[in-house]
Amino acid sequence: MNNRETVNHMNAVAPATRRGMLRDAACGFGMLALGSLFEGNRAAGADVGFDAANPLAVRRPHFGPRAKRVIFLFMHGGPSSIDTFEYKPYLVRNHGKPLPIERPLAFDDEEPGPLMKPLWKFRPGGESGILVSDLFPNVRGCVDDMCFVHSMVGEGVDHGAALLQTFTGSSTFTRPSLGSWVVYGLGTENRNLPGYITIKPALSHGGAKNWSSAFLPGSFQGTPIGHAGLNVSDVQGEPIEYLVNKGLSPERQRYELDMLRNVNRRHAEMRKFDPRLEARIQSFELAFRMQIQAPEAFEVEKESEATKKLYGLDDPVTADFGWQCLLARRLSERDVRFVQCTHSYKWDQHSDLFNRHNANAREVDKPIAGLLKDLSSRGMLDETLVVWAGEFGRTPVSQGGDGRDHNPYGYTVWMAGAGVKKAFQYGATDEIGYHATVNRMHIHDFHATLLYLLGMDHEQLTYHFSGRDFRLTDVAGIVHEDILA
């Protein structure tokens, strides 16, 4: 065999470009090192059975789950706990008096105003008689299904830090979101829909970082449906328009997708294991499969008139959040693992709290109650955990007349449904409602407890990245077993 025949033979076996030759020859050891890092990531993912070729496949939890899925109702801006779900008679008796403690770090550096009583009356609800303010008369009727945590604690005194900590566990670094960790740990039972969907999310205060998968593979990031700046009419057709290429038949789309996948696979083989490229391949596949089920899932208008009325779709005031809640139910019954609805950005009342909290609550009160009743009537509440939260609460002293400043030191969230005690109140703040003093539940604890309800040990749910194992709860977090049913 002469030299020319040898070259031709080599080219026939393994065609190579000059650039490829230089890369393979000069960077061989570097590529080996990079490959070992990627393999380390894959090995860590194997703790939960993560398969890069099928990332959304169902995975076994660490132990028997109490909940199968989550609906997270987020009130962006920080609703006032002491005006909604935690009654403080001390504030009624001492309205107008000076703050009796040294004020902690606050968002506003002005001198604090005097103590301010709740601006609404609290009345008993349900058979349990749990007190809820007149801001939420419809939700008050559902308290027998609800578990209130009055002792939440975070660190962020500004919205950006508080949102990031609420959804990622960190107020300062880019970390995977809560929903991403859930889908990473459990996968999804419906391969034709994303495992994590966020409806009309906020683009401010961290924006996409609040539903990002960060260093987790991109398959686990949240799929946004519209954003807070859009009206329902703008959002309703959006998922379908993105998914369906009306100029191509399904067969043609499948052919083009297969061709693209082959090119990507060849590229992936050259680079050993590239999680970003793998995530892109999976996103194309998921988008194609979504055409099967997504259009029908988003057809909220086909619900019965009674159901639409239950959620408030017949009223312009409640129609927006009602549509979000009804869509969340439809996605949940189609086994989407984590769905988030966002009422944004309306709860940040540094002044005019009475008028604006009234308006905000009117928009969400009926839809939330409708969601709880609908889930219960369909037998879904026993498998679905519903969470209601803001990024923090508000201070017991006045600001700007009848406003309140940010307060991450003690505030209320509530849960309902799978795994938590019914008609239950847990924890408490001090007598003025400023600091959590009884059964303090830090955000790390909240995340640990939520993962526990889904059958996951927060200390075992890890991902190896950049030389260390990461988890949602960082190096903290305890499960608050007293709230478990």
Side-chain angles (χ1 to χ4, degrees):
M1 183 178 291
N2 59 34
N3 290 341
R4 178 170 295 182
E5 288 173 335
T6 302
V7 171
N8 288 339
H9 176 71
M10 291 174 62
N11 286 339
V13 174
T17 64
R18 182 172 56 184
R19 181 178 299 174
M21 180 82 102
L22 289 172
R23 180 192 66 237
D24 293 341
C27 304
F29 289 108
M31 291 298 290
L32 284 173
L34 184 60
S36 69
L37 289 177
F38 285 145
E39 288 298 328
N41 281 355
R42 283 201 288 181
D47 291 343
V48 294
F50 167 55
D51 178 6
N54 189 15
L56 296 178
V58 175
R59 288 176 282 283
R60 295 181 62 182
H62 297 133
F63 42 80
R66 298 164 184 254
K68 289 181 63 176
R69 65 188 75 90
V70 176
I71 297 176
F72 198 115
L73 308 175
F74 182 58
M75 307 291 110
H76 184 188
S80 171
S81 301
I82 53 184
D83 289 294
T84 53
F85 298 115
E86 190 181 18
Y87 180 58
K88 290 296 178 184
Y90 181 93
L91 292 179
V92 177
R93 297 193 303 268
N94 293 277
H95 176 75
K97 294 183 179 179
L99 180 67
I101 62 172
E102 183 178 350
R103 186 176 66 158
L105 178 67
F107 179 73
D108 196 312
D109 58 4
E110 295 180 0
E111 286 297 314
L115 294 176
M116 186 168 73
K117 66 181 180 181
L119 302 185
W120 292 266
K121 290 185 177 180
F122 279 67
R123 307 178 197 273
E127 294 183 3
S128 61
I130 292 177
L131 295 175
V132 174
S133 88
D134 284 346
L135 271 174
F136 286 99
N138 289 289
V139 171
R140 183 164 55 208
C142 302
V143 293
D144 290 341
D145 287 321
M146 296 162 64
C147 174
F148 294 89
V149 177
H150 296 303
S151 51
M152 280 294 299
V153 177
E155 275 97 37
V157 295
D158 63 283
H159 295 284
L163 260 78
L164 284 172
Q165 189 172 46
T166 299
F167 290 115
T168 73
S170 173
S171 60
T172 53
F173 300 104
T174 299
R175 295 286 186 265
S177 63
L178 169 61
S180 295
W181 279 110
V182 169
V183 180
Y184 165 66
L186 296 175
T188 179
E189 294 182 341
N190 187 342
R191 66 190 303 269
N192 296 326
L193 289 172
Y196 172 21
I197 291 178
T198 177
I199 307 170
K200 293 188 65 178
L203 298 181
S204 59
H205 302 136
K209 292 180 181 179
N210 291 303
W211 68 87
S212 152
S213 59
F215 49 73
L216 288 178
S219 301
F220 304 120
Q221 70 182 7
T223 298
I225 304 301
H227 56 78
L230 296 177
N231 296 319
V232 168
S233 58
D234 299 322
V235 178
Q236 281 177 314
E238 184 186 66
I240 314 306
E241 292 172 3
Y242 281 147
L243 294 173
V244 179
N245 188 333
K246 297 179 180 179
L248 299 177
S249 67
E251 294 76 18
R252 180 67 180 179
Q253 290 182 62
R254 182 70 260 175
Y255 172 78
E256 291 194 354
L257 185 60
D258 287 342
M259 294 292 290
L260 181 61
R261 182 181 59 187
N262 290 337
V263 172
N264 284 333
R265 288 294 183 201
R266 289 176 61 187
H267 188 57
E269 289 172 3
M270 294 172 61
R271 294 176 174 268
K272 304 299 182 184
F273 177 73
D274 186 339
R276 292 171 298 178
L277 180 57
E278 189 63 46
R280 180 170 294 184
I281 294 171
Q282 294 298 331
S283 70
F284 282 124
E285 291 287 345
L286 177 60
F288 179 80
R289 294 196 304 270
M290 283 178 69
Q291 296 181 68
I292 300 172
Q293 196 166 118
E296 186 272 337
F298 284 89
E299 289 175 339
V300 171
E301 65 278 3
K302 290 189 176 180
E303 293 281 346
S304 70
E305 291 304 315
T307 299
K308 288 187 281 189
K309 187 173 182 179
L310 177 67
Y311 283 83
L313 268 65
D314 58 334
D315 184 344
V317 173
T318 53
D320 188 292
F321 201 70
W323 180 82
Q324 290 194 50
C325 289
L326 182 49
L327 179 57
R329 190 222 80 202
R330 291 176 64 86
L331 293 171
S332 295
E333 67 184 347
R334 288 160 177 80
D335 293 314
V336 175
R337 184 75 70 181
F338 196 102
V339 182
Q340 182 176 316
C341 305
T342 300
H343 188 244
S344 180
Y345 158 55
K346 298 188 175 184
W347 292 89
D348 189 24
Q349 271 75 76
H350 293 269
S351 61
D352 200 23
L353 184 141
F354 182 79
N355 290 325
R356 295 175 67 185
H357 258 43
N358 263 329
N360 297 337
R362 279 198 300 269
E363 292 178 1
V364 303
D365 177 42
K366 186 174 182 180
I368 292 171
L371 173 65
L372 296 176
K373 294 174 182 176
D374 197 18
L375 290 173
S376 181
S377 68
R378 294 170 184 269
M380 292 178 62
L381 196 57
D382 292 338
E383 296 182 333
T384 307
L385 178 67
V386 180
V387 178
W388 181 96
E391 63 267 41
F392 41 52
R394 308 202 78 84
T395 59
V397 294
S398 66
Q399 180 187 35
D402 70 342
R404 300 186 190 273
D405 201 0
H406 307 169
N407 179 22
Y409 306 109
Y411 59 103
T412 295
V413 304
W414 59 257
M415 293 172 268
V420 295
K421 291 179 179 177
K422 297 182 178 182
F424 188 64
Q425 297 185 86
Y426 180 76
T429 54
D430 54 29
E431 59 185 0
I432 61 174
Y434 215 137
H435 290 88
T437 55
V438 180
N439 295 321
R440 295 173 79 255
M441 183 182 285
H442 189 274
I443 288 174
H444 290 318
D445 303 337
F446 170 71
H447 288 160
T449 305
L450 190 148
L451 292 177
Y452 185 89
L453 288 165
L454 291 166
M456 290 180 286
D457 184 333
H458 70 104
E459 294 183 345
Q460 294 184 39
L461 186 66
T462 63
Y463 190 83
H464 193 79
F465 174 75
S466 193
R468 61 163 283 197
D469 289 337
F470 284 87
R471 69 186 204 216
L472 173 62
T473 52
D474 195 35
V475 295
I478 60 172
V479 176
H480 285 245
E481 297 185 2
D482 288 343
I483 74 169
L484 306 179

